[in-house]
Amino acid sequence: HMCQQKGRNSKITSMLPDNFIPSSCDIICGKGKDCYDHIGNKWFRHIVSLYIDEYLAAGENKFKKIKVVSDIFNKVQESENNTGFVSKDRRSGEWRAVSVTRAREKIGHELRIIVSRREKKAEKSKKLYHEAQKFRRLYVIQQAIFVELKAKSDMEIALVQDEEMDEVQCTMMEDNVIKEIDDTDLMYMLGLD
């Protein structure tokens, strides 16, 4: 038999049998890894996530949000072999079924956590998108600079090649001029006449 006791914040809780063990459909209210990792709590978070779009669509309408919380509460309660929302007394180690008010608070809290995570994820995606855009712009600028430098380099290579051609032509012309000079002219140029 379950006896009712006043719990935290004057919310009625029901004592559960001594041999009670939370099932995979029970949601443990409390803090810590054990509560978070309990299979019932994982199932609960999944159920809540199914209602998140409806909760967001409610916007500032408090009555619509209350209806979403009620729908989730009813969904949890209609599961077979479950007590629903339970908590363990830290001092005595006894399990208790928590009040409807506390269960609804847990649902509201989980909805807000999911909304917050979704907003943070959207903000992070937006930031990453802007970073990617910045890198794309830098890449385009870098490519434009590369094309400009390549064009300058190609032009310098062409000028050097032109100068080399001029030198070769000059040398060839000098060779031709030297070939045309006879011995007497050469002796005159060298001052040997």
Side-chain angles (χ1 to χ4, degrees):
H1 120 353
M2 290 192 231
C3 64
Q4 301 224 334
Q5 290 187 348
K6 284 214 169 206
R8 199 166 61 126
N9 300 331
S10 301
K11 294 168 186 160
I12 305 296
T13 61
S14 304
M15 295 282 271
L16 295 168
D18 290 341
N19 64 348
F20 175 79
I21 296 171
S23 77
S24 60
C25 293
D26 289 323
I27 295 95
I28 302 173
C29 298
K31 296 178 181 175
K33 190 168 170 48
D34 290 341
C35 294
Y36 187 84
D37 289 342
H38 175 65
I39 193 162
N41 289 51
K42 290 179 181 180
W43 170 75
F44 168 68
R45 288 191 297 275
H46 171 71
I47 296 297
V48 172
S49 72
L50 298 176
Y51 287 86
I52 204 69
D53 290 332
E54 191 178 335
Y55 181 79
L56 288 169
E60 297 299 313
N61 187 323
K62 197 169 186 172
F63 296 108
K64 286 183 180 178
K65 285 185 173 181
I66 289 170
K67 184 190 177 310
V68 172
V69 170
S70 296
D71 290 347
I72 294 169
F73 180 80
N74 293 334
K75 181 79 173 171
V76 169
Q77 295 298 85
E78 69 190 30
S79 300
E80 289 182 33
N81 302 327
N82 94 339
T83 309
F85 295 84
V86 300
S87 70
K88 192 173 192 177
D89 187 282
R90 286 188 206 156
R91 287 186 216 120
S92 67
E94 296 172 330
W95 285 98
R96 296 180 177 171
V98 303
S99 67
V100 171
T101 305
R102 186 160 174 215
R104 293 173 68 82
E105 285 172 358
K106 178 147 182 81
I107 293 166
H109 178 71
E110 191 59 39
L111 283 163
R112 288 187 297 278
I113 286 172
I114 292 173
V115 167
S116 173
R117 282 185 189 142
R118 192 181 266 195
E119 286 170 351
K120 283 178 185 173
K121 193 174 181 180
E123 187 61 35
K124 190 175 180 180
S125 293
K126 190 176 176 182
K127 193 174 180 180
L128 287 171
Y129 173 78
H130 288 300
E131 287 295 316
Q133 289 296 96
K134 208 187 302 181
F135 281 115
R136 272 192 207 99
R137 282 193 297 273
L138 286 172
Y139 177 76
V140 168
I141 291 166
Q142 183 184 30
Q143 291 302 305
I145 291 169
F146 176 74
V147 167
E148 186 71 26
L149 288 173
K150 181 151 177 28
K152 271 187 176 178
S153 176
D154 290 347
M155 198 166 27
E156 287 173 0
I157 289 170
L159 285 172
V160 167
Q161 287 174 343
D162 282 352
E163 286 175 11
E164 287 172 355
M165 286 298 285
D166 287 348
E167 283 181 33
V168 168
Q169 287 174 349
C170 238
T171 306
M172 285 171 58
M173 283 172 47
E174 287 171 5
D175 288 346
N176 289 339
V177 167
I178 290 171
K179 287 178 188 170
E180 292 173 10
I181 298 173
D182 64 15
D183 291 340
T184 55
D185 291 333
L186 188 59
M187 289 179 67
Y188 173 78
M189 289 165 64
L190 294 170
L192 299 171
D193 59 336

